Amino acid sequence: MTPFPASTEGIGQTRQYRLELTEEDGYQLLCGDPGDGSYSIRLSRRGHPDWRMAAGDFCSFYKAQGTPYDLVMSQQDAGDMQQYYRDHRYDDPFLRPGEPAVLVHSTPREHWAAICQDGQLKSWNVLKGQGVLQEREPVGAGLGDPEEFRRYIMFGSGMTGEIIVSSKQKGYICMDPCAEYRTGARLYFDGERMARDGVLLRDGCHFKVRDCLPLEPYLLWAATWEQVGLNSPLSTPREFAERADQRFAAQFAKT
């Protein structure tokens, strides 16, 4: 496979983004810095349920940012993807089939009170610029996340957000879902409304929002250890995520 097509916009930036279509099993996508200073996404044709849409979002997002990127796939696959994606954009104002109606963001307990006071989530860059954060860089830097990611609030599902909170507390990347940590707040957002209002962005790997997101009207529910039936704030990413998801599903029909 060869890179096709490569964007020529944004040349002069130090970070190159690359998406490679693979034939490997066992994953949907893998991302990070492979050691050459780039940010690489390995997208599995066999493992990803909609690789064409993911690759299209990757191209659409970075082209809109004026950021250079490479696609590593055959010309036939690239043409197939472009035809499939032709009526879409990275900021489509609707959810596509298979996209989650509810998006999750997790935050440490000490940050939740400030979020409630502000009435909004803020990106790492915004908080750093306001002098709120003392840390030199976010925990995602240890995974090879580029500095550009600091402009965004990331959303997901499963245990990912709790792993980030756990790692932040430990001061290193801890992927163990059974490692004890101090739970914070697990926030459930209306993904359909975020998309409809044009704040939900996709880059082929993440759902995210630029700079800030008001809690009203998007926050559906905030889970804390008291609300999910734990005996103390101490838990594990797996236990807290599973308990919170179960309690959310029991209370809200929109899942």
Side-chain angles (χ1 to χ4, degrees):
M1 292 188 293
T2 57
F4 176 88
S7 166
T8 58
E9 299 184 44
I11 298 299
Q13 301 180 22
T14 58
R15 171 77 63 165
Q16 181 81 17
Y17 292 81
R18 179 172 63 247
L19 183 143
E20 178 182 355
L21 182 64
T22 79
E23 304 296 334
E24 299 167 353
D25 293 315
Y27 66 89
Q28 291 190 22
L29 59 83
L30 301 171
C31 57
D33 184 346
D36 60 3
S38 67
Y39 187 77
S40 177
I41 298 173
R42 294 176 62 82
L43 182 64
S44 171
R45 183 202 304 272
R46 298 178 182 179
H48 199 286
D50 199 352
W51 70 265
R52 296 171 184 85
M53 190 65 72
D57 281 337
F58 171 86
C59 297
S60 177
F61 178 81
Y62 287 112
K63 182 176 182 180
Q65 310 310 308
T67 300
Y69 65 85
D70 284 326
L71 281 183
V72 184
M73 61 176 66
S74 70
Q75 292 193 13
Q76 180 176 344
D77 284 333
D80 182 22
M81 177 271 292
Q82 290 166 346
Q83 178 67 16
Y84 182 87
Y85 192 78
R86 66 186 185 280
D87 294 325
H88 292 279
R89 283 177 47 91
Y90 70 96
D91 56 355
D92 276 343
F94 53 85
L95 292 181
R96 295 84 165 259
E99 290 186 329
V102 176
L103 296 170
V104 176
H105 178 86
S106 300
T107 188
R109 181 84 172 198
E110 59 271 20
H111 291 178
W112 176 225
I115 291 169
C116 290
Q117 183 175 354
D118 288 344
Q120 59 184 323
L121 292 180
K122 299 176 181 177
S123 71
W124 192 92
N125 269 4
V126 170
L127 291 172
K128 188 69 171 177
Q130 293 177 341
V132 175
L133 300 177
Q134 301 304 312
E135 60 192 26
R136 185 175 63 86
E137 59 185 13
V139 67
L143 294 172
D145 287 353
E147 289 189 13
E148 291 88 341
F149 281 19
R150 303 175 191 184
R151 303 171 181 171
Y152 300 95
I153 306 157
M154 301 295 191
F155 296 84
S157 59
M159 293 179 288
T160 303
E162 309 315 319
I163 290 291
I164 293 172
V165 173
S166 175
S167 298
K168 183 179 177 66
Q169 291 174 2
K170 294 173 174 61
Y172 61 90
I173 301 298
C174 178
M175 302 299 293
D176 184 356
C178 297
E180 188 175 77
Y181 80 123
R182 185 171 294 275
T183 60
R186 183 173 171 88
L187 311 179
Y188 294 79
F189 288 87
D190 187 338
E192 184 176 5
R193 188 160 191 167
M194 290 164 63
R196 186 172 68 244
D197 291 349
V199 299
L200 182 64
L201 310 178
R202 311 159 177 91
D203 63 9
C205 191
H206 310 94
F207 295 103
K208 56 191 182 182
V209 169
R210 178 73 180 261
D211 294 329
C212 300
L213 180 72
L215 300 182
E216 178 66 33
Y218 304 110
L219 181 64
L220 298 172
W221 187 56
T224 60
W225 68 270
E226 301 98 329
Q227 292 165 316
V228 303
L230 293 172
N231 294 323
S232 82
L234 298 180
S235 183
T236 67
R238 173 171 290 157
E239 179 184 40
F240 184 54
E242 289 180 351
R243 283 196 178 217
D245 287 354
Q246 290 167 4
R247 186 65 59 90
F248 177 84
Q251 295 186 68
F252 295 86
K254 190 173 188 177
T255 56

